[in-house]
Amino acid sequence: MAAAATDLSRPLLPSSAGNNPTNTNSDHNPPSQHIITINNHMGFPQSETPTNQDSIFLQTQFRFESVDDGLSRNEENPYGVLGSDGFDPLGSTTVDPFRNQTPTIQGVYEWVKMLVCVPIVLLRLVLFGLCMLIGYVATKTALHGWKNNQNPMPRWRCRVMYITRLCTRGILFSFGYHWIKRKGKPAPRETAPILVSNHVSYIDPIFFFYELSPTIVASESHDSMPFVGVIIRAMQVIYVNRLSYQSRKHAVNEIKRRAASNRYPRVLLFPEGTTTNGRQLISFQLGAFIPSYPIQPVVVRYPHVHFDQSWGHIALATLLYRMFMQFHNFMEVEYLPVISPAQHQKESAARFAERTGRAMASALNVVQTHHTFADYALLSKAAEAGQENFSPFMVEMAKIQKLYHLSSLEAVDFLERFLAMNPDSSGCVNYQDFIRVLRLKHSRLSENIFGFVDVNKNGLITFKEFLVASAHVLKLPLFRRACEVAFNESDEDKDRYLSLLEFGGATSLAIPALAMNEIQALFEMFDIDGDGRINEDDFTTCLRRNPLLIAHFNHHFIHKDLDAESGLEDMA
């Protein structure tokens, strides 16, 4: 062996090695990767036998190439040990279905029109105030003494509410909707107990209350709104918290119960869950379609030239002001043919919603995107943080929810962390800000984590890349088991808690030369309850919030078959 080490011209393999498969002497069988690398990268003729001299040169060359060109395939993906082979960022879109097209007053015509409309506005305000007052008194009278709101409103109370319905027509008139174009007719309640409509403006529910006086499904937050809260209570509203599974489940049961009884008015839902600009439909929530009753779709349009009436990225006060300052506001309502769930085979709610969405998109001559109410929640969060360009923060959540079953709350939590990374005006984050927020230090592992997220390899990451990468890692089948193994392996004294010393020892193996203050900062991130030690709940909760950090503990998984261990645990 000593001779071999000093004889640089001695062959690495004897000539008989290729014909002697039983020869296992390590002196004559150096790692095959050197031979492969020489043949593939050094360009030796296949007939020439490489020597130790070639091997030393090659190993040195290989180490330099590793630094320059990156790690091997498995090492480049820090989540390969968990079964990840990368992720699809799902593309990006510049479509903004929530953007109001005329957020500011533009053009001489608009300013002149506003001056001319001042006397008209005064009359409109008087009419608006009078209708509000009469409608409010009538509604309070209809509701007075009525406690059993789980049953249909008595007939005499409904007759009193007719006064309020007439007042809402006066309110629409004061807003400039002097006439409203209708196409088609509402189907009898017995034929279609449920209506669904696109949602463009706060005018939509006012019109439908006047026209049909339906039961509506509305957000719980509407109950506290002045005047509006009283009106919707009289409509026997079904409240729903869109971010609560239990609330949504209760709402679906109520829709089913009321749709089944002709004693209740028909049920009206806006399945998009929020207002859009009317230029696209966004993905539907399934609450209207789960009960499997026939549905009549309705589409609402607001044709305009100078003033977009949609309630998008615009304050309600600004929208009201602009609306009063128009000579006339146009509105068109079209009742489409009734759509029934397929009878010959049990149709899923998603399929039923898809057919209904196609019919409505076709009538509006628009496309239906994969945006959802969750995208609007993300947009609102970005606006609160002072971002001026909202498009990078809308990710078409329907696609992500379908692939990764990520909730709206989880998506908003990921956005909070991304916004802490100080995205630039284009909505992108650089490497330094990325590792700063995740309490990482510049290292090969940190570079690999960033490179895993940076699918486009441009040195910047978008929110969509960050969200999808985080969701991808979080939903890996082995992620939960990896959290358990990482905690148990880091807990050296097996007391079910990680001290700062134990945590520092575990993380230093992944990122060498960590300073004490860097370990302390990362420790505090994991110490959710702030008691100075990390229990398993703290550990798992932090990794669920920051799933990319699981790569910190890869050294615990290298020699473990997580898949097999998870299977044995399930069997037990």
Side-chain angles (χ1 to χ4, degrees):
M1 179 66 186
T6 57
D7 184 2
L8 298 183
S9 61
R10 178 173 175 171
L12 286 172
L13 291 176
S15 58
S16 60
N19 301 322
N20 186 10
T22 62
N23 188 343
T24 59
N25 190 323
S26 60
D27 288 354
H28 301 293
N29 285 279
S32 59
Q33 61 185 3
H34 299 309
I35 301 300
I36 293 173
T37 308
I38 289 173
N39 287 335
N40 288 345
H41 299 294
M42 301 298 293
F44 289 108
Q46 292 188 5
S47 59
E48 184 176 333
T49 303
T51 67
N52 277 342
Q53 187 173 12
D54 300 323
S55 175
I56 292 172
F57 175 80
L58 176 64
Q59 290 178 37
T60 305
Q61 181 72 13
F62 178 77
R63 282 194 292 270
F64 284 126
E65 287 177 354
S66 295
V67 173
D68 293 338
D69 299 334
L71 301 173
S72 66
R73 180 177 179 84
N74 288 335
E75 292 173 316
E76 283 179 351
N77 179 356
Y79 308 100
V81 69
L82 301 182
S84 169
D85 57 358
F87 67 95
D88 179 3
L90 305 177
S92 59
T93 177
T94 57
V95 172
D96 182 354
F98 309 108
R99 181 175 181 270
N100 185 287
Q101 303 298 313
T102 59
T104 59
I105 300 170
Q106 296 179 343
V108 175
Y109 171 77
E110 278 295 292
W111 287 105
V112 171
K113 180 174 64 176
M114 289 174 61
L115 291 175
V116 173
C117 282
V118 169
I120 302 174
V121 169
L122 296 176
L123 294 175
R124 286 178 172 175
L125 287 173
V126 171
L127 176 62
F128 175 77
L130 188 62
C131 290
M132 288 278 285
L133 177 62
I134 296 173
Y136 182 79
V137 171
T139 304
K140 292 292 284 186
T141 302
L143 291 175
H144 181 70
W146 185 47
K147 304 296 184 184
N148 189 12
N149 56 8
Q150 293 301 311
N151 290 319
M153 180 177 280
R155 191 172 297 276
W156 75 266
R157 296 181 186 272
C158 292
R159 291 194 181 101
V160 176
M161 284 299 298
Y162 194 77
I163 298 173
T164 307
R165 291 175 64 184
L166 291 176
C167 288
T168 57
R169 184 62 187 96
I171 290 172
L172 289 172
F173 191 90
S174 69
F175 281 143
Y177 298 95
H178 308 124
W179 62 87
I180 297 172
K181 183 179 178 180
R182 296 170 178 79
K183 182 178 180 181
K185 293 182 178 180
R189 195 246 183 254
E190 296 77 13
T191 303
I194 298 176
L195 292 174
V196 296
S197 172
N198 62 316
H199 199 7
V200 179
S201 172
Y202 64 88
I203 295 297
D204 308 340
I206 297 175
F207 167 81
F208 283 116
F209 174 62
Y210 161 70
E211 179 94 343
L212 301 169
S213 186
T215 290
I216 65 170
V217 179
S219 171
E220 292 175 345
S221 60
H222 292 165
D223 185 69
S224 59
M225 295 176 66
F227 183 75
V228 174
V230 176
I231 295 292
I232 61 176
R233 283 197 294 274
M235 296 171 67
Q236 297 185 265
V237 65
I238 300 172
Y239 288 117
V240 61
N241 179 350
R242 289 169 289 198
L243 300 179
S244 167
Y245 169 77
Q246 290 299 328
S247 178
R248 295 197 304 269
K249 183 178 179 180
H250 171 74
V252 169
N253 290 335
E254 275 298 296
I255 293 168
K256 188 181 298 185
R257 183 176 75 88
R258 299 189 190 191
S261 173
N262 287 331
R263 298 169 59 210
Y264 285 97
R266 71 192 83 206
V267 182
L268 169 67
L269 295 98
F270 299 103
E272 293 170 293
T274 188
T275 52
T276 69
N277 58 19
R279 294 171 177 261
Q280 294 89 23
L281 280 179
I282 63 174
S283 296
F284 286 173
Q285 306 295 310
L286 300 181
F289 308 95
I290 292 174
S292 293
Y293 283 99
I295 286 176
Q296 182 171 32
V298 188
V299 294
V300 180
R301 306 179 187 87
Y302 293 89
H304 68 276
V305 176
H306 301 285
F307 169 53
D308 180 1
Q309 300 151 62
S310 67
W311 193 5
H313 306 330
I314 185 170
L316 178 59
T318 303
L319 195 62
L320 285 169
Y321 173 76
R322 296 285 305 278
M323 202 168 277
F324 275 124
M325 288 293 182
Q326 306 302 309
F327 292 126
H328 174 76
N329 289 308
F330 292 91
M331 181 180 186
E332 299 176 356
V333 180
E334 181 179 356
Y335 294 92
L336 302 180
V338 174
I339 299 177
S340 299
Q343 297 298 325
H344 62 282
Q345 58 181 0
K346 189 173 182 180
E347 184 176 39
S348 69
R351 174 64 179 163
F352 191 12
E354 184 182 333
R355 286 199 296 126
T356 306
R358 278 203 304 267
M360 294 173 67
S362 177
L364 289 167
N365 194 28
V366 300
V367 298
Q368 187 169 22
T369 71
H370 290 93
H371 295 89
T372 69
F373 167 75
D375 284 283
Y376 187 77
L378 295 172
L379 179 153
S380 300
K381 193 70 174 178
E384 289 174 11
Q387 294 293 319
E388 297 181 357
N389 182 12
F390 303 133
S391 296
F393 303 101
M394 291 180 290
V395 295
E396 295 189 289
M397 273 295 294
K399 289 182 180 179
I400 296 173
Q401 288 171 328
K402 183 177 180 180
L403 282 174
Y404 300 112
H405 307 288
L406 194 73
S407 71
S408 301
L409 286 175
E410 288 175 315
V412 172
D413 284 343
F414 283 126
L415 177 58
E416 286 181 351
R417 274 181 288 290
F418 186 82
L419 291 172
M421 297 175 188
N422 192 29
D424 61 23
S425 59
S426 65
C428 295
V429 164
N430 62 35
Y431 170 72
Q432 292 297 334
D433 286 326
F434 175 81
I435 63 173
R436 172 180 56 81
V437 170
L438 292 183
R439 309 288 200 278
L440 297 173
K441 181 180 181 178
H442 173 63
S443 65
R444 177 57 57 85
L445 176 62
S446 299
E447 289 179 342
N448 287 342
I449 293 174
F450 185 84
F452 177 81
V453 180
D454 179 18
V455 176
N456 293 324
K457 306 305 177 190
N458 59 359
L460 297 169
I461 60 172
T462 65
F463 172 60
K464 190 167 189 177
E465 287 176 327
F466 177 73
L467 177 66
V468 176
S470 299
H472 167 76
V473 174
L474 178 63
K475 302 303 178 179
L476 286 171
L478 297 179
F479 179 82
R480 182 176 63 86
R481 178 59 184 158
C483 293
E484 295 173 359
V485 171
F487 181 82
N488 292 333
E489 294 292 323
S490 302
D491 181 19
E492 296 179 1
D493 58 9
K494 306 304 177 187
D495 64 348
R496 309 307 299 165
Y497 290 97
L498 299 185
S499 65
L500 178 60
L501 184 62
E502 289 174 319
F503 184 79
T507 55
S508 295
L509 291 174
I511 301 180
L514 276 173
M516 193 60 202
N517 64 318
E518 293 168 333
I519 295 174
Q520 181 73 39
L522 194 58
F523 180 85
E524 290 173 357
M525 176 187 280
F526 276 79
D527 183 15
I528 302 296
D529 55 15
D531 63 352
R533 56 183 185 174
I534 302 171
N535 60 36
E536 190 166 4
D537 284 342
D538 290 341
F539 191 81
T540 303
T541 299
C542 182
L543 287 176
R544 287 190 61 83
R545 292 178 180 174
N546 306 275
L548 297 176
L549 291 181
I550 191 65
H552 252 299
F553 307 95
N554 278 352
H555 52 279
H556 291 313
F557 316 139
I558 292 174
H559 303 297
K560 288 183 176 289
D561 187 347
L562 294 177
D563 199 6
E565 289 189 17
S566 179
L568 289 173
E569 185 180 80
D570 293 340
M571 290 174 65

